[in-house]
Amino acid sequence: MHIVLISTPIGFLGSGKGGGVELTLNSLVSGLLSLGHSVDVIAPGNSKLHKGNEKAKLHFVEGEDQISWQHQNYNSPVTIPDNSLLAGMLEKGLDIAKQADVLLNMSFDWLPIWMTLNLEIPIAHIISMGSESSVISNLISKVYSKHPYNFAFHSKIQADDYPFIKKPIIIGNGFKLDNYTFQDSVKGSLAWVGRVAPEKGLEDAVYVANKLGEKLKVWGVKEDETYASKIEKSFPKGTIDWMGFLSTNELQKELGKCRVLLNTPKWNEAYGNVVVEALACGVPVIAYKRGGPSEIIQHGQTGYLANPDDKKNMLSYVEIIEKIERKKCREWVEKNASTDIFANKVVNWLNKVKHEY
Ligand code: UDP
């Protein structure tokens, strides 16, 4: 197949602003190339693809970012800025897709989904969030009634946020295992990885670290500086060890040294890339039992699922984390979330989209 991918209109690939979509896109490109498909990627200027993905053609578009939907009200209207990056990426993508089999949209926004109704080229959408906007959810509902194959979701629990989707196509996610080294470091620090923003609930993980009298190592972009400094001020100085935003290679080296990853989402996390990345390094994960992580973590085998928002319950699981065999964490990723497994699911889905069109 010849597939044209549209990246997120929030930050260039490598900036961290696009969250998990940046890694998902790279994993997908890697899997598609290894299966022999041809790939064009439309992305903001300065974007970089991961090493090994050089065979994909990268096309740059300049323009103004969209505002992320998780930081707007549920009933906010759609805003399209002057010199819109998203519109520019779509224009370029549509042009290139004239020679391709399918246009694959990885942005979570209104415009590309609306275009599905009006096009000669099949457009498939990987929906990367739960229902965060009424205008988008209503549009998905409308398009789904005409093109039920054109949407795929990362987890079943994410798709449940869209109750009108009767038979969701679930593609999971994929990780290039060579990029993650297994480490058997049972005595390491407590870790937390993610965009530092309210929906990620960092404060609960800091609470756990503070109760244990330990530091919490935190990796990720400080998307919301005010939120970050508010948390910092509510705990004893030095409880948070800010480690910054690292490339996958640097991150996995450091993360693998930790004894557990705490994952504290306050929203219906679509998947939770950082959960699988930790597991790939052999690091067990304790997460709240909500959203994607609750489908990924095997309670008692690869980590623990704590009652949502119950910090004390999370703390009690940290105290028994040495019961988890780190090898089992890595094994789960090998069996369930490699780039090949992911790309195969996506290709099967895209073939359906193409033939039903
Ligand atoms: N990440 C990274 N370096 C860091 C911290 C995070 O590359 O120092 C990446 C991580 O690999 C993951 C993404 O940030 O792919 C966060 O994705 P996730 O699905 O966990 O959450 P999202 O941001 O999409 O809500």
Side-chain angles (χ1 to χ4, degrees):
M1 275 186 136
H2 178 187
I3 299 154
V4 181
L5 281 176
I6 307 269
S7 184
T8 166
I10 300 171
F12 60 88
L13 290 170
S15 69
K17 287 188 186 161
V21 175
E22 296 186 24
L23 186 77
T24 303
L25 186 144
N26 269 290
S27 298
L28 183 57
V29 169
S30 160
L32 291 173
L33 292 175
S34 92
L35 294 175
H37 300 285
S38 125
V39 184
D40 284 81
V41 176
I42 321 292
N46 280 333
S47 287
K48 281 200 181 75
L49 290 174
H50 289 183
K51 228 174 105 216
N53 284 344
E54 293 81 9
K55 268 194 177 167
K57 272 188 224 135
L58 186 56
H59 307 265
F60 297 127
V61 174
E62 303 292 340
E64 286 299 312
D65 282 19
Q66 292 296 118
I67 307 168
S68 56
W69 280 100
Q70 68 268 36
H71 303 131
Q72 301 185 60
N73 292 327
Y74 189 71
N75 293 313
S76 293
V78 175
T79 321
I80 298 181
D82 198 10
N83 186 28
S84 157
L85 171 63
L86 178 60
M89 290 202 296
L90 284 167
E91 252 176 73
K92 182 156 260 180
L94 286 168
D95 192 38
I96 296 170
K98 283 180 196 149
Q99 325 295 331
D101 293 291
V102 62
L103 187 64
L104 179 52
N105 166 45
M106 299 187 73
S107 75
F108 182 91
D109 222 309
W110 186 87
L111 188 59
I113 300 175
W114 179 78
M115 287 169 76
T116 322
L117 295 167
N118 302 288
L119 274 175
E120 284 154 30
I121 301 161
I123 307 188
H125 308 274
I126 296 184
I127 301 296
S128 58
M129 291 206 268
S131 176
E132 290 293 316
S133 141
S134 78
V135 64
I136 294 182
S137 293
N138 290 337
L139 179 67
I140 294 178
S141 168
K142 182 174 170 178
V143 177
Y144 178 76
S145 63
K146 292 196 179 142
H147 302 285
Y149 293 109
N150 291 42
F151 299 93
F153 301 84
H154 288 295
S155 66
K156 207 176 155 310
I157 203 155
Q158 174 207 0
D160 288 348
D161 247 18
Y162 303 89
F164 47 83
I165 304 275
K166 295 296 171 224
K167 283 190 191 157
I169 294 164
I170 310 296
I171 52 173
N173 213 337
F175 299 81
K176 203 171 173 192
L177 280 144
D178 301 351
N179 290 346
Y180 302 88
T181 308
F182 174 80
Q183 295 191 51
D184 208 6
S185 27
V186 287
K187 296 219 180 312
S189 330
L190 305 172
W192 189 94
V193 187
R195 287 177 295 105
V196 180
E199 68 272 17
K200 297 291 185 176
L202 171 62
E203 61 277 20
D204 289 9
V206 187
Y207 166 93
V208 171
N210 185 39
K211 281 280 169 200
L212 291 166
E214 290 188 44
K215 279 181 186 296
L216 177 72
K217 292 197 170 190
V218 173
W219 287 274
V221 168
K222 277 189 195 169
E223 198 173 53
D224 186 334
E225 291 274 358
T226 319
Y227 166 74
S229 74
K230 197 172 149 207
I231 300 176
E232 192 161 26
K233 282 185 197 132
S234 17
F235 292 95
K237 216 169 168 213
T239 311
I240 304 180
D241 199 355
W242 297 110
M243 307 297 288
F245 178 80
L246 301 185
S247 67
T248 302
N249 184 36
E250 293 303 317
L251 175 66
Q252 65 86 29
K253 269 188 216 154
E254 294 302 316
L255 183 57
K257 292 179 196 155
C258 296
R259 78 176 189 281
V260 63
L261 177 85
L262 303 180
N263 188 249
T264 46
K266 299 282 168 181
W267 67 339
N268 185 3
E269 187 82 53
Y271 187 80
N273 283 359
V274 298
V275 171
V276 183
E277 293 183 270
L279 296 177
C281 302
V283 180
V285 184
I286 305 172
Y288 287 143
K289 193 175 179 179
R290 71 154 57 100
S294 67
E295 280 176 30
I296 297 168
I297 297 160
Q298 311 292 296
H299 186 77
Q301 295 290 312
T302 60
Y304 296 102
L305 292 167
N307 301 325
D309 306 321
D310 188 342
K311 298 175 274 193
K312 290 187 180 141
N313 192 221
M314 183 166 268
L315 173 64
S316 72
Y317 286 128
V318 177
E319 283 161 346
I320 57 163
I321 201 66
E322 70 283 354
K323 288 192 178 171
I324 303 293
E325 270 182 64
R326 291 174 73 103
K327 284 222 159 70
K328 287 211 172 128
C329 300
R330 170 80 183 191
E331 275 166 26
W332 184 90
V333 186
E334 287 169 359
K335 285 194 192 125
N336 297 281
S338 68
T339 44
D340 280 0
I341 295 172
F342 179 48
N344 269 313
K345 283 186 202 158
V346 172
V347 168
N348 287 340
W349 164 53
L350 293 178
N351 271 315
K352 231 186 220 171
V353 174
K354 198 183 156 196
H355 291 118
E356 293 292 328
Y357 202 73

